[in-house]
Amino acid sequence: MLGLSITAIGLRPFRECLSIFKKLQQPMQLDFLELAIGSSCSTDFDYSGIPLILHDSCLYEDGIRKRLNLLLPKSWDIYAEFAANNDVRALSLHPPRQHECTQNELETALSQLEKIIKIPVYIEVMPSEDYWCSSVETLVNHPLLVDVSHILIWHGGDMELTKQTCLNLLNSNQVGEIHLSHNKGKADTHDLIPLDIWFNDVIQEWQQNYFVTFESLPYDYCQYERLDKRRYRS
């Protein structure tokens, strides 16, 4: 399945983001919307007819962001309730920092969360080395969200090494979701995706086997780019 993240089009009122998603749904052949940081995704909104993925601490209740803490099971309740009442296909989230828990504690928490929320849960590879899943050596035994741009940061902007690492992870059969965006290999800037980027040729194949999410837009749709990015570029 192929989807679009609120992160790509956000910093607008949520209804405007939803309008953009619907405009892009046919030309980009989008199957789902990822609720994520960027605009307030309220638990009270009517999401009827919209397949969703939840990414990290994305939900708001009464205007307050509800933190999802993998190490605090009480924080899972609102996400489990939301998933039970909406067409939520999966949940992805950031791992804790390595000093916060052991690998075994992390893997146990992921399994418990998946049982509570009753949908697939994916743990994201991170760009900063203090987190779990911030290198091949710190990956855990649980299905992954492979963020292509985070791996680009691992390799300091080396596109060929990034491609090989991504393909190796996909061949490991440990991946359930992929995030697509772009940067210069230094920071997770969610830049527009170039037309000649290496993964454009494999998106169609990937979406048959994974949840593939645009976290930034291809250049062809730059007019809908996240509002702060548009202001910066102008």
Side-chain angles (χ1 to χ4, degrees):
M1 297 181 73
L2 187 65
L4 179 65
S5 177
I6 288 291
T7 298
I9 57 176
L11 293 181
R12 297 175 167 92
F14 183 80
R15 289 187 182 278
E16 188 176 346
C17 291
L18 186 58
S19 176
I20 292 172
F21 171 73
K22 289 180 177 178
K23 286 178 184 176
L24 296 179
Q25 202 164 5
Q26 185 173 355
M28 290 183 67
Q29 299 183 328
L30 301 172
D31 302 304
F32 65 86
L33 175 66
E34 181 187 77
L35 303 187
I37 301 306
S39 293
S40 298
C41 306
S42 173
T43 57
D44 295 330
F45 190 83
D46 182 5
Y47 297 94
S48 299
I50 308 172
L52 302 170
I53 284 183
L54 304 180
H55 182 57
D56 210 59
S57 300
C58 61
L59 295 180
Y60 284 71
E61 186 176 59
D62 298 326
I64 298 172
R65 185 181 173 202
K66 308 304 289 186
R67 297 281 180 175
L68 177 61
N69 185 339
L70 187 55
L71 304 178
L72 187 63
K74 190 174 181 180
S75 72
W76 306 350
D77 293 346
I78 189 171
Y79 287 83
E81 180 181 356
F82 184 88
N85 294 323
N86 293 276
D87 184 9
V88 179
R89 305 299 177 90
L91 165 72
S92 59
L93 73 167
H94 300 163
R97 289 177 170 85
Q98 294 180 53
H99 71 81
E100 295 177 316
C101 66
T102 66
Q103 180 174 340
N104 183 64
E105 288 169 336
L106 173 53
E107 291 170 353
T108 298
L110 286 165
S111 296
Q112 290 174 340
L113 172 58
E114 204 161 49
K115 289 177 183 177
I116 293 293
I117 202 166
K118 296 182 173 63
I119 53 175
V121 172
Y122 305 120
I123 192 76
E124 185 171 17
V125 301
M126 297 298 283
S128 303
E129 63 184 13
D130 52 332
Y131 286 89
W132 285 105
C133 302
S134 58
S135 65
V136 172
E137 293 74 24
T138 58
L139 295 177
V140 298
N141 185 25
H142 191 87
L144 300 172
L145 159 55
V146 168
D147 187 309
V148 174
S149 281
H150 289 181
I151 293 176
L152 186 62
I153 294 170
W154 291 7
H155 295 303
D158 187 313
M159 203 70 72
E160 186 58 34
L161 285 177
T162 297
K163 178 180 178 180
Q164 289 305 314
T165 299
C166 289
L167 294 178
N168 288 342
L169 288 173
L170 294 177
N171 288 335
S172 74
N173 296 315
Q174 197 185 345
V175 177
E177 185 181 358
I178 302 169
H179 270 180
L180 303 177
S181 66
H182 188 58
N183 61 54
K184 296 179 181 178
K186 296 181 179 179
D188 194 23
T189 49
H190 295 102
D191 298 336
L192 292 170
I193 297 172
L195 298 175
D196 60 350
I197 196 78
W198 66 270
F199 55 72
N200 275 341
D201 293 335
V202 290
I203 291 175
Q204 190 169 1
E205 176 187 343
W206 283 355
Q207 70 185 71
Q208 304 304 315
N209 301 302
Y210 313 99
F211 294 106
V212 180
T213 307
F214 284 104
E215 254 201 323
S216 61
L217 289 169
Y219 265 99
D220 287 349
Y221 305 102
C222 62
Q223 67 268 38
Y224 302 112
E225 188 180 19
R226 199 176 77 194
L227 209 53
D228 63 324
K229 300 284 292 181
R230 290 193 66 202
R231 288 170 179 162
Y232 177 77
R233 288 195 304 109
S234 61

